[in-house]
Amino acid sequence: MYYSIKKRLLLGVFCILLAALVPAGVYAMYLLRGEVSRDARDVAMNTLRGVEWTLAHHPPFGSPKDLDAWAAGYGAATGVRVSYIVNGTLVADTQVGYERLALAADHSLRPEIVAARKNGRGLDTRFSTTVNMRFLYAALSTGSIPGFAPGVLRIAMPDLAIARRLDRVGFDLALAFAGAFVLGCFLLGIMLLRGFRYLDALTVTAQAIGLGDYARRMPDSRCRELRPFTAALNGMAVNIGKQMREIAEEKNRLETVLNAMSEGVLALSGDGRVLLGNPAARTMFSGMEEGRLLLEVIMNAALHEAVSAALSGEAVPGTVRVAARGGGTCSANIVPLPPGGVAKLLLVFTDISERERLDAMRRDFVANVSHELRTPLTSIRGYAELLRDDANLPEATRAEFLDIITRSAEHMARMTDSLLSLARAEHAGARAAPDRGEASGPTDAAAVLRSVLRDLGPAVRDRAVAVSLDLPAAAAGPEAPLFVRGGADGLAEVFRNLLDNALKYGGNRIELGARAEGDTAVITVRDNGPGIPEESRERIFERFYRLKRGPEGKSAAGSAGLGLAICRHIVRNLGGSIRVGIPADGGPGTAFVVRLPLAGGDAGSLSARRFDSAPALA
Ligand code: ADP
């Protein structure tokens, strides 16, 4: 049950004022009443003495009747009743006619008469049944009325004036006290309400601070007792505000770090629920919502076991391999957090997809290279042993064996050359600054194409292939240059590989073309061979990828599957692209299209992506 201090205090003030003013008022009335009656008694006694003096100096009355008549006259003139009593018997009286005096009651026992006879004077106030009114009686023992025996002279004055005066003064006094009471209540009420207003403001301020308005301050109170409280409240708001700012800054810093991290970070509660996940973690795993169980987000038994072990305080297991979204792989590191916080564990996920891919690539590469080298090596060793062990071999066989050894050695040499070229091209790509002079230049691509064709002239003739060359025409001479960015060596290697492939795998016709399209040089190498199946068109640019042809599915002899990989690396390093497809005119064969930025263009903005479209291909 709650109560209101405000109401209690107001009621208290009301009661205190009442308790202070009512007794004071009653006492004041009591004093006033005493004062007024004393005044009235003095007036009555003085009047009586005046009457006595008047009677003492009056010429002697002829008879008691004359005295009674004088009393009646005096009463009529002054309103004061005069009586003369001798031994309790009325001798004269203002209000009793002379004839009826004898019938009047004995007055000897009236209090004022008794007192006057005893002390010379007496006073009394009482209700007179004779005239039906309250009277103040004053009596004086006297013997100075000429012609009359000593007796008691008495006057009676109506008490009405005194009562009226007392009533009036009492009313005024009550009015004054009521005014004082109302004013007191009003002033104290105002003071209390002002105090309460301040308390209300304190409450509102404390609530606002509690709701996060840390800039809110309470103005200083003029009440000394409240000042420490106000100062404490304001100080509390300052401290909380400062701490909240620090916490927010800390949170921001943490968020920035977490957002910038390439590792996925996940905070787990004691019951294995997700409390927080950074953007990297959200990219790695779908459905990462706060409050979800880790098992619902990452369904991995090994991780679940490791997390359960870590949460139950057992030794933290090492990293756990976890499958990520999109076929990637992550390694999860479990870090227990210090006790006391809501978060108990931190899981740090590192994307190891690329590392694993590179590892696999390296393994494949080593296996491929070993495999590719083993065949020529085996034949070199085999034929060399035969030559060594059998000195009687016929000359023709010996020459044939030596020929095989030479071809195998050449194949190995070609392969190691290709591997070196590939390594150089990859290295240049990785360094972003093209090596092998690719960035230098400009180089006339048309001239390089002509020179490569010249170099391969014997092979062209051997295979009886018809080669056509379509180069930009110049106004002054038969051919115009087609300057592209990059060094001649890289370009020559690309063109040589493409032409070599066209000679090796194509038919009996090769069309070479070079032209400018906007700020791009487009070089095409087209043959009329069997073509490349659509599903292999992207893969032929991978290292060691070779097309299996024929019923046995054999790849071409002497083919290492490295040429096109080298081409793509070099072209990309130059900011260009290489695509393969069927010829645009729908004819048979294969068409390779190389797109390179023309020298003098905005080379910096060129990227492989802008050359993805290949209109020369169908
Ligand atoms: P290699 O050095 O063995 O020639 P490449 O990387 O140059 O390897 O070529 C990869 C494969 O692409 C080859 O095995 C071949 O089957 C196929 N290929 C390349 N060029 C052509 C072409 N013009 N016509 C048909 N197939 C081709």
Side-chain angles (χ1 to χ4, degrees):
M1 182 66 187
Y2 300 101
Y3 58 84
S4 158
I5 295 183
K6 210 183 283 185
K7 277 187 192 154
R8 286 193 164 207
L9 274 173
L10 284 173
L11 201 70
V13 164
F14 183 78
C15 291
I16 288 168
L17 277 173
L18 219 58
L21 287 175
V22 168
V26 170
Y27 184 62
M29 274 304 281
Y30 168 77
L31 289 180
L32 190 78
R33 188 175 289 276
E35 202 65 25
V36 168
S37 5
R38 234 184 337 271
D39 276 3
R41 282 162 192 249
D42 286 352
V43 167
M45 201 46 83
N46 288 341
T47 308
L48 182 58
R49 284 210 179 90
V51 171
E52 187 197 16
W53 188 88
T54 309
L55 285 173
H57 293 85
H58 194 277
F61 292 98
S63 67
K65 196 178 176 180
D66 291 341
L67 179 62
D68 188 61
W70 183 90
Y74 186 85
T78 61
V80 174
R81 177 185 171 191
V82 180
S83 313
Y84 189 62
I85 298 129
V86 179
N87 293 328
T89 306
L90 269 180
V91 176
D93 190 284
T94 302
Q95 288 183 344
V96 183
Y98 183 73
E99 299 77 24
R100 289 174 49 231
L101 282 174
L103 302 172
D106 181 11
H107 278 58
S108 59
L109 292 178
R110 303 279 154 86
E112 71 280 4
I113 305 293
V114 173
R117 289 172 73 175
K118 198 174 161 198
N119 307 321
R121 46 181 280 181
L123 283 161
D124 188 34
T125 308
R126 69 175 175 276
F127 194 81
S128 162
T129 46
T130 319
V131 285
N132 225 359
M133 200 186 258
R134 245 184 109 75
F135 277 95
L136 169 64
Y137 295 92
L140 201 65
S141 194
T142 182
S144 54
I145 302 174
F148 284 88
V152 175
L153 184 65
R154 186 187 78 170
I155 61 162
M157 295 167 78
D159 201 25
L160 204 64
I162 303 167
R164 275 205 196 115
R165 199 170 148 206
L166 274 176
D167 281 353
R168 204 176 54 244
V169 173
F171 178 74
D172 289 348
L173 205 64
L175 212 62
F177 273 98
F181 178 74
V182 170
L183 194 68
C185 280
F186 179 71
L187 291 176
L188 280 168
I190 282 183
M191 274 163 63
L192 281 176
L193 287 178
R194 280 187 64 155
F196 284 126
R197 248 205 322 269
Y198 192 78
L199 282 182
D200 286 345
L202 272 179
T203 310
V204 170
T205 306
Q207 280 170 343
I209 293 168
L211 288 173
D213 183 2
Y214 307 117
R216 188 75 160 253
R217 298 284 180 274
M218 191 67 202
D220 248 348
S221 167
R222 274 185 297 194
C223 173
R224 200 179 325 133
E225 284 80 0
L226 281 176
R227 285 174 82 94
F229 183 73
T230 309
L233 185 73
N234 288 341
M236 187 179 78
V238 171
N239 284 339
I240 295 179
K242 202 171 132 208
Q243 278 169 16
M244 290 309 284
R245 263 196 311 281
E246 280 172 10
I247 290 172
E249 276 169 22
E250 187 63 32
K251 192 168 165 256
N252 273 349
R253 270 199 295 274
L254 194 69
E255 257 175 25
T256 311
V257 171
L258 283 176
N259 291 352
M261 276 175 78
S262 58
E263 284 86 4
V265 178
L266 205 70
L268 285 188
S269 64
D271 57 352
R273 288 183 185 278
V274 174
L275 291 174
L276 176 149
N278 72 341
R282 287 174 201 282
T283 317
M284 289 171 177
F285 308 103
S286 53
M288 173 127 12
E289 279 137 32
E290 202 176 304
R292 290 191 76 186
L293 281 170
L294 176 70
L295 196 61
E296 293 171 355
V297 181
I298 308 170
M299 274 179 264
N300 183 303
L303 180 70
H304 184 60
E305 272 173 28
V307 165
S308 304
L311 281 175
S312 57
E314 290 169 29
V316 179
T319 54
V320 181
R321 212 168 151 276
V322 180
R325 189 154 59 171
T329 312
C330 295
S331 78
N333 221 343
I334 301 168
V335 185
L337 292 171
V342 189
K344 301 290 176 203
L345 284 186
L346 211 62
L347 304 190
V348 182
F349 296 93
T350 312
D351 188 352
I352 54 168
S353 317
E354 185 61 14
R355 202 168 71 202
E356 291 206 334
R357 196 182 67 80
L358 287 175
D359 281 350
M361 245 169 75
R362 203 167 294 124
R363 277 196 304 275
D364 282 357
F365 185 74
V366 172
N368 279 329
V369 170
S370 325
H371 177 75
E372 293 302 328
L373 290 177
R374 189 176 296 128
T375 316
L377 261 178
T378 312
S379 58
I380 289 172
R381 195 169 65 190
Y383 287 108
E385 279 170 2
L386 280 175
L387 287 171
R388 184 194 63 196
D389 296 343
D390 193 350
N392 303 320
L393 273 177
E395 197 55 37
T397 314
R398 188 178 283 271
E400 188 193 340
F401 284 5
L402 282 172
D403 198 35
I404 292 172
I405 289 173
T406 311
R407 276 208 312 275
S408 296
E410 279 170 355
H411 177 58
M412 281 172 66
R414 265 203 313 279
M415 191 165 352
T416 48
D417 280 353
S418 296
L419 284 171
L420 276 173
S421 284
L422 186 64
R424 275 199 300 267
E426 280 183 346
H427 180 65
R431 274 180 37 195
D435 202 1
R436 306 175 64 221
E438 281 92 340
S440 59
T443 302
D444 180 3
V448 174
L449 200 55
R450 274 197 304 275
S451 129
V452 169
L453 183 59
R454 228 180 359 259
D455 292 350
L456 288 175
V460 172
R461 273 192 298 281
D462 284 356
R463 290 171 202 250
V465 176
V467 180
S468 70
L469 194 57
D470 179 14
L471 296 176
E479 283 145 8
L482 188 66
F483 284 110
V484 295
R485 292 176 64 246
D489 289 354
L491 277 184
E493 186 147 7
V494 172
F495 297 156
R496 194 179 306 116
N497 271 322
L498 293 178
L499 200 55
D500 196 42
N501 279 352
L503 286 170
K504 272 196 290 186
Y505 310 115
N508 56 2
R509 206 176 68 239
I510 297 174
E511 289 169 19
L512 299 177
R515 65 179 188 282
E517 263 183 30
D519 56 358
T520 307
V522 183
I523 298 103
T524 48
V525 179
R526 175 190 170 171
D527 62 61
N528 63 344
I532 296 169
E534 198 174 346
E535 64 276 10
S536 298
R537 281 182 201 154
E538 194 47 43
R539 295 207 62 197
I540 52 165
F541 295 102
E542 290 174 14
R543 290 183 292 193
F544 298 110
Y545 186 83
R546 287 167 298 180
L547 282 181
K548 308 269 190 291
R549 296 201 191 270
E552 297 93 30
K554 278 191 177 163
S555 51
S559 160
L562 291 170
L564 290 177
I566 294 169
C567 288
R568 188 168 65 174
H569 267 293
I570 295 174
V571 169
R572 280 188 177 170
N573 290 351
L574 294 174
S577 72
I578 178 166
R579 301 278 306 270
V580 65
I582 53 170
D585 58 12
T590 312
F592 281 90
V593 179
V594 177
R595 295 174 161 264
L596 292 168
L598 281 173
D602 183 7
S605 68
L606 294 168
S607 71
R609 197 168 302 173
R610 59 182 294 196
F611 298 102
D612 276 354
S613 64
L617 305 176

